[in-house]
Amino acid sequence: MEEFAWFLVFVGRPNAGKSSLISKLTSAKPVIGKKPGSTRRINTYKITKKFEVVDVPGWGKIHDRTKAYEDRIKDEIVEFFERYKFRIPACILVIDAKSIVDVSERLSKKGIIPIDQELYNFIKNYKIIPIVVINKIDKISNPEVEKAVQFIKKLIDYDNLSEEHQEAVITVSAKQGTNLGVLRDLIRKHLRNNDVEEFERYIKLR
Ligand SMILES: Nc1nc2c(ncn2[C@@H]2O[C@H](COP(=O)(O)OP(=O)(O)OP(=O)(O)O)[C@@H](O)[C@H]2O)c(=O)[nH]1
Ligand SMILES: [Mg+2]
C-alpha cells in the first residue's frame, strides 16, 4: 500500500527557477538547467517518511518540444492535483521576474491571459492559495521589480484576497539568496496553518 505523505509543491513556467529554489530550501537535489524544460516529469523527493517535496516540470510552451510533450506535462500536473489536493499544505508558484517585465505589456494589450495567471487560478480551484514567488530579481532593476509585483498582483486579483493571504507575493533571487529567509518563513507558516508543523524544520537555507 502507498505510504501517506504530505507534499510541498513547486510549480511555474519553464525555467522560472523551481528546481533552484527547491535546492536552496530543502535537502532535495533536483536537476537545474540553463534551458527551459530541464525537469521532464513530476519528481518527488522524500524529505522524511511522511514529507515530500515535489518538483513539477514547467507548465507552458517550450520552443524545441512538441505540443504532445506540453500536453503530457499538463495532464500529469492535473492528475497530481486531482489525486493529492488534500495533501498539499503549501504550493509555491514560481514566476520569472524578467519574463514578466518583458511580456506583461505586450500580453495585456493583446488581451491574452498569461500562463502564470492560468496556473494561479488552476491551483486556487483546488482551494489552495499559492505562495507567489517572483524570482530572478537580480536580473532586473528595482523599479522593474516594483512593476512586476504590481502586474502580478493585478493578475491574481490580490486586493480581493483575504488579509492573511496578502503577504503571499514575494520577490526573491535564488541565485543571490535575496529574501529566501522570507520565503522559508512563509512556507513554514503554511505548514503550521495546515497542522503539519513537524516538517517546518526541514525547510531551511542551504
Ligand atoms: N539570474 C538568476 N538566474 C536564476 C535564478 N534562479 C534560477 N536561475 C537560473 O535559471 C535557470 C533555470 O533554473 P531551474 O531551477 O532549472 O528552473 P526550473 O523552473 O526548474 O526549470 P524547468 O525545470 O525547465 O521548468 C538556471 O540556469 C538557473 O541557474 C535567479 O534567481 N537569478
Ligand atoms: Mg526544473
Side-chain angles (χ1 to χ4, degrees), residues 12-21 31-40 55-59 135-139 172-176:
R13 279 200 267 158
N15 209 239
K18 302 173 289 294
S19 302
S20 300
L21 285 170
V31 176
I32 294 165
K34 276 210 169 66
K35 290 216 278 186
S38 309
T39 306
R40 288 171 165 266
D55 190 10
V56 173
W59 172 296
N135 185 34
K136 305 197 187 184
I137 56 168
D138 57 285
K139 289 176 87 172
V172 306
S173 165
K175 188 179 179 184
Q176 297 188 332

Side-chain angles (χ1 to χ4, degrees), residues 137 170-173 176-185 205:
I137 56 168
I170 62 173
T171 58
V172 306
S173 165
Q176 297 188 332
T178 318
N179 285 348
L180 292 185
V182 180
L183 176 55
R184 171 202 57 205
D185 293 345
L205 305 185

